[in-house]
Amino acid sequence: MESIWLRNLSEAFGNGDIVRPDTVKENSPTLTDPVLLSSFVSKPAPKNEFPKEEIEPRAAYQLVHDELLLDGNSRQNLATLCQTWVEPEVRRLMDECFDKNMIDRDEYPQMAELESRCVRMVADLWNSPDAANARGCSTAGSSEAAILAGLALKAKSRQVARKLHGKPNLVCGPVHICWHKFARHFDVELRQIPCEGNRLMMSPEEVVKRCDENTIGVVPTLGLIFTLQYEPVQAIAFALDDLEEERGLDIPIHVDAASGGFVAPFIHPDLVWDFRIPRVKSINGSGHKFGLAPLGCAWVIWREARDLPDDLIFRVKYLGGHVPTIGLNFSRPGGQVACQYYNFVRLGLKGYAKVTQAASILVRG
Ligand SMILES: *Cc1c(COP(=O)(O)O)cnc(C)c1O
């Protein structure tokens, strides 16, 4: 077979003449041309202006693919704690779901059903007293989940008898940047406990010192971003119980379990940090970190229906049904949630325990 390569090369470059690539004949590339002959080879990649002409899909693919070669290798990136390896089945499901819009629950009711199942499963994993009726949702990441939880605390504080007399505040330790974003965007004071000496996290004493009648919540982190340490949720809850007894301040806890929420239940099941503590009203966790889902999946779960104020639930009419939504985003891909469900079904408690155990041994060396 005379190769397309040869035919095109001789057409493009003449017989032995040396021709600069930018003098390659106009219109010479066809859909079957090799990528090397494509128009993009002789031109810089479009960067600032919207391209005027179309190019062949293979050429466009090669161009984008090659641009991405300059990135780091994600398998060597341990810094974001996010998932960088998935089973082939997960890739298949992602491919099958790329066109399913998570928000369009009427059109894709089964996708919505998988999300609801995951909400109940995660609520159960975090020892909800009533997992079958748990309220919660998937989000793009723990940042969105944290913002929703913060908004619920804010809305809740408006409902309780105790009226705020100033700017609402949240008490926390060395939190993730998402809490700073929440505080700034939604006008909440972040009372961050500074690290001191060997104490690299919050302590019950330091928490109580900063609580007052304007405190809408305390946010311990299960798996601090710098050290992956667990902040002592139960001890903090006890200290807040005492505070309530002494001063009548009933302050809820939200646990930012972005990383620890899918670690502690599997390898430290006796650690009490979750809904076993009545004061813990909501928890977020990143499915795409140790939950092993592909990037773009986290969870926020409220303890009981009444802990998620109705103000935060929206009923969308334009997509056919009247299904309530909680998340901040509208259109969002469904594959991550389908794959999270796959992971739960595929691994179960035992499988996750094995994976997490193996990973923690690797980390400790
Ligand atoms: C990673 C992380 C977040 C942010 O989560 P994303 O899923 O990356 O948005 C928030 N809090 C903590 C403690 C984290 O480790």
Side-chain angles (χ1 to χ4, degrees):
M1 173 189 137
E2 189 201 358
S3 97
I4 299 174
W5 272 88
L6 283 181
R7 193 151 27 91
N8 286 324
L9 276 174
S10 55
E11 225 179 68
F13 295 109
N15 291 324
D17 294 344
I18 294 172
V19 184
R20 282 156 39 93
D22 54 7
T23 62
V24 169
K25 257 200 280 171
E26 277 286 331
N27 304 327
S28 70
T30 70
L31 285 179
T32 53
D33 276 345
V35 163
L36 279 178
L37 276 188
S38 307
S39 44
F40 94 90
V41 175
S42 57
K43 292 185 197 142
K47 290 200 177 102
N48 303 316
E49 285 171 0
F50 203 88
K52 295 198 177 47
E53 309 283 345
E54 79 271 24
I55 59 174
E56 317 79 79
R58 280 187 313 157
Y61 171 80
Q62 198 64 44
L63 184 154
V64 179
H65 178 87
D66 289 355
E67 287 285 326
L68 293 171
L69 282 178
L70 301 173
D71 273 342
N73 171 2
S74 67
R75 292 294 304 287
Q76 292 170 308
N77 177 8
L78 303 177
T80 67
L81 312 176
C82 286
Q83 187 52 256
T84 56
W85 186 86
V86 293
E87 293 181 310
E89 288 76 8
V90 169
R91 288 182 191 272
R92 253 174 49 210
L93 285 170
M94 287 296 279
D95 194 38
E96 288 165 23
C97 293
F98 85 95
D99 52 351
K100 293 208 187 187
N101 193 345
M102 201 68 233
I103 194 73
D104 204 346
R105 286 152 201 259
D106 216 40
E107 189 65 30
Y108 310 115
Q110 209 51 30
M111 184 66 85
E113 165 63 18
L114 294 190
E115 183 188 29
S116 303
R117 287 184 200 171
C118 286
V119 165
R120 297 192 290 270
M121 287 173 166
V122 176
D124 181 48
L125 183 70
W126 293 340
N127 293 298
S128 157
D130 186 16
N133 295 304
R135 271 186 177 174
C137 63
S138 66
T139 57
S142 268
S143 304
E144 183 191 356
I147 288 170
L148 287 168
L151 287 171
L153 289 175
K154 215 179 161 196
K156 191 77 189 160
S157 74
R158 288 195 295 267
Q159 289 177 355
V160 293
R162 170 166 61 93
K163 285 273 171 276
L164 305 191
H165 296 291
K167 188 163 165 164
N169 68 70
L170 273 180
V171 176
C172 63
V175 277
H176 188 271
I177 187 85
C178 64
W179 292 99
H180 294 267
K181 285 190 189 176
F182 166 71
R184 196 180 304 168
H185 292 329
F186 296 97
D187 203 24
V188 168
E189 178 193 348
L190 205 60
R191 296 194 174 161
Q192 201 171 16
I193 299 166
C195 299
E196 224 174 68
N198 291 330
R199 182 178 55 69
L200 302 178
M201 56 170 101
M202 60 165 61
S203 67
E205 302 74 38
E206 296 296 321
V207 166
V208 169
K209 265 196 237 167
R210 287 168 178 79
C211 288
D212 60 23
E213 64 279 6
N214 293 325
T215 305
I216 59 172
V218 173
V219 182
T221 301
L222 196 78
L224 289 167
I225 36 172
F226 303 110
T227 59
L228 279 187
Q229 283 172 299
Y230 299 152
E231 288 190 313
V233 186
Q234 193 169 38
I236 289 156
F238 287 146
L240 291 174
D241 290 346
D242 293 344
L243 181 76
E244 182 172 3
E245 212 160 277
E246 287 157 24
R247 292 173 50 196
L249 300 175
D250 180 9
I251 298 175
I253 292 178
H254 169 83
V255 184
D256 180 351
S259 57
F262 290 103
V263 173
F266 307 128
I267 59 170
H268 307 119
D270 297 331
L271 180 78
V272 178
W273 64 274
D274 51 18
F275 292 126
R276 280 168 285 181
I277 304 171
R279 199 172 283 280
V280 171
K281 303 299 184 194
S282 50
I283 301 174
N284 69 277
S286 288
H288 57 207
K289 288 184 178 172
F290 300 102
L292 309 179
L295 271 176
C297 182
W299 300 95
V300 55
I301 310 283
W302 284 271
R303 177 185 193 80
E304 290 176 73
R306 65 194 162 113
D307 296 309
L308 174 65
D310 284 337
D311 297 13
L312 266 78
I313 304 173
F314 291 82
R315 288 174 173 77
V316 207
K317 289 193 210 128
Y318 17 91
L319 293 175
H322 285 256
V323 194
T325 71
I326 306 168
L328 292 175
N329 293 299
F330 195 68
S331 296
R332 199 154 57 81
Q336 284 82 346
V337 167
C339 292
Q340 180 80 90
Y341 182 69
Y342 163 87
N343 284 141
F344 291 169
V345 172
R346 149 95 174 93
L347 292 170
L349 274 178
K350 276 198 185 146
Y352 269 102
K354 281 186 201 162
V355 173
T356 314
Q357 194 75 49
S360 72
I361 291 168
L362 281 178
V363 169
R364 283 197 308 255

